[in-house]
Amino acid sequence: ILFKKKHLREKSAIIMTKILLIEDNIMESNMYKEVLSLYGFECCQCFNGEQATKLIEKVKFDLLVVDVMMPVMDGYEFVSLVRRLYKEIPILMISANNMINNRLKGFELGIDDFLVKPFNNNEFIYRIKALLRRYNINLNHIIDFSDTYLDSQKMLFKYKDEIIHLTEKEFNLLFKLLVNQNKVLTKEQLIDDLWTDVDFDSNVVESQISRIKRKTKIDQDFRIVNIRNIGYMAEVIDEN
């Protein structure tokens, strides 16, 4: 999600996907973390399964990368524990051991993918992105600029410190417009993306937009503009 630089407080205004990397080899762990960071992921490191178990009780992660051979608690034991507690988190297991029995054991315990070391950095990233798509984890679910904040996973919309309540359809429509800020979206685009009804009355879009305008009128960071006979645009207001 891109905004004009002057509207961003800092690079981290778009919350990054959080990955927990569990690898006991410090040099390899640092190398993997650097690759993940380059591709825009937030990476936390643990060096054995026991450390990771304590951390995931406190922090929510979007994906786990787990090495097999580790001290204290190995990758298999860790995955077995995680799957008893957390069913809906993707797990990528990594190992230098390419024996089929090791891979099968990982899948039996509940991993989603297995990657043999050493591996290509691009393949590493592509497999992670594929797992996130499979689990329907939105890579960019936060919009945060000036005093406006939206989180599509929590369906949360705030202006300054005030929560603005929208229906699910209103929120999704506003989020779609703001993701494409300063860009005109046609009614047809909005209908295709947000409605599944075959016989659809386009006036419903107009009524939704009207309600959003009414509910968000206190927000001074953007305005929704009606482009006659075409569609709508979320115009970010330039205070300068």
Side-chain angles (χ1 to χ4, degrees):
I1 300 171
L2 300 176
F3 292 100
K4 294 179 181 178
K5 289 183 179 179
K6 59 189 172 186
H7 293 300
L8 285 176
R9 288 201 290 268
E10 53 184 346
K11 182 178 179 181
S12 62
I14 297 175
I15 305 302
M16 294 182 289
T17 302
K18 187 174 291 187
I19 293 175
L20 177 59
L21 172 63
I22 310 142
E23 164 66 69
D24 65 311
N25 186 304
I26 296 177
M27 185 178 297
E28 289 185 8
S29 180
N30 289 338
M31 180 177 66
Y32 301 149
K33 180 177 181 179
E34 183 177 354
V35 173
L36 291 167
S37 299
L38 284 173
Y39 281 84
F41 296 105
E42 180 182 350
C43 179
C44 296
Q45 293 167 282
C46 286
F47 301 100
N48 62 64
E50 188 175 88
Q51 287 180 349
T53 301
K54 294 177 181 178
L55 186 58
I56 62 175
E57 292 175 353
K58 303 174 183 177
V59 181
K60 181 182 182 300
F61 291 97
D62 297 303
L63 182 140
L64 307 179
V65 177
V66 185
D67 187 30
V68 174
M69 300 302 295
M70 296 184 294
V72 186
M73 179 189 293
D74 68 16
Y76 295 130
E77 187 178 354
F78 172 73
V79 169
S80 178
L81 176 62
V82 167
R83 276 295 177 248
R84 290 200 298 269
L85 301 174
Y86 308 99
K87 303 293 186 183
E88 300 299 325
I89 183 169
I91 301 175
L92 170 61
M93 180 166 274
I94 58 176
S95 175
N97 191 327
N98 194 27
M99 297 294 290
I100 184 65
N101 288 341
N102 291 332
R103 285 180 282 165
L104 292 178
K105 182 177 181 179
F107 285 112
E108 288 173 357
L109 291 172
I111 68 169
D112 298 281
D113 201 356
F114 192 104
L115 192 55
V116 178
K117 299 189 289 187
F119 43 75
N120 179 274
N121 290 340
N122 287 331
E123 182 180 6
F124 182 44
I125 295 300
Y126 285 146
R127 285 177 182 264
I128 285 173
K129 288 184 176 181
L131 288 178
L132 293 171
R133 285 196 302 271
R134 190 186 307 171
Y135 277 74
N136 295 317
I137 296 174
N138 191 341
L139 299 184
N140 291 313
H141 62 271
I142 302 290
I143 298 176
D144 186 358
F145 68 104
S146 299
D147 294 312
T148 297
Y149 177 91
L150 291 89
D151 183 334
S152 64
Q153 290 187 347
K154 297 179 180 178
M155 300 296 290
L156 176 64
F157 173 31
K158 290 198 302 183
Y159 176 65
K160 295 185 177 178
D161 292 325
E162 181 173 348
I163 295 177
I164 299 174
H165 297 283
L166 301 175
T167 66
E168 181 178 357
K169 191 66 71 177
E170 290 166 355
F171 182 94
N172 290 335
L173 180 52
L174 177 60
F175 195 90
K176 178 75 174 178
L177 291 169
L178 283 173
V179 165
N180 296 277
Q181 59 103 36
N182 295 332
K183 176 182 176 181
V184 178
L185 298 181
T186 66
K187 284 185 179 180
E188 289 74 19
Q189 286 176 298
L190 296 172
I191 291 169
D192 288 343
D193 286 347
L194 300 174
W195 278 271
T196 58
D197 308 68
V198 177
D199 298 318
F200 184 82
D201 182 359
S202 63
N203 291 329
V204 173
V205 178
E206 295 175 2
S207 63
Q208 293 278 358
I209 291 290
S210 295
R211 286 196 291 270
I212 292 171
K213 285 182 177 181
R214 185 174 66 252
K215 292 181 179 181
T216 63
K217 62 183 179 181
I218 67 167
D219 194 317
Q220 301 298 306
D221 295 332
F222 70 90
R223 55 176 166 260
I224 298 177
V225 180
N226 182 2
I227 309 300
R228 187 175 178 82
N229 297 325
I230 299 178
Y232 301 93
M233 174 178 68
E235 182 181 43
V236 173
I237 298 171
D238 187 352
E239 297 178 352
N240 298 321

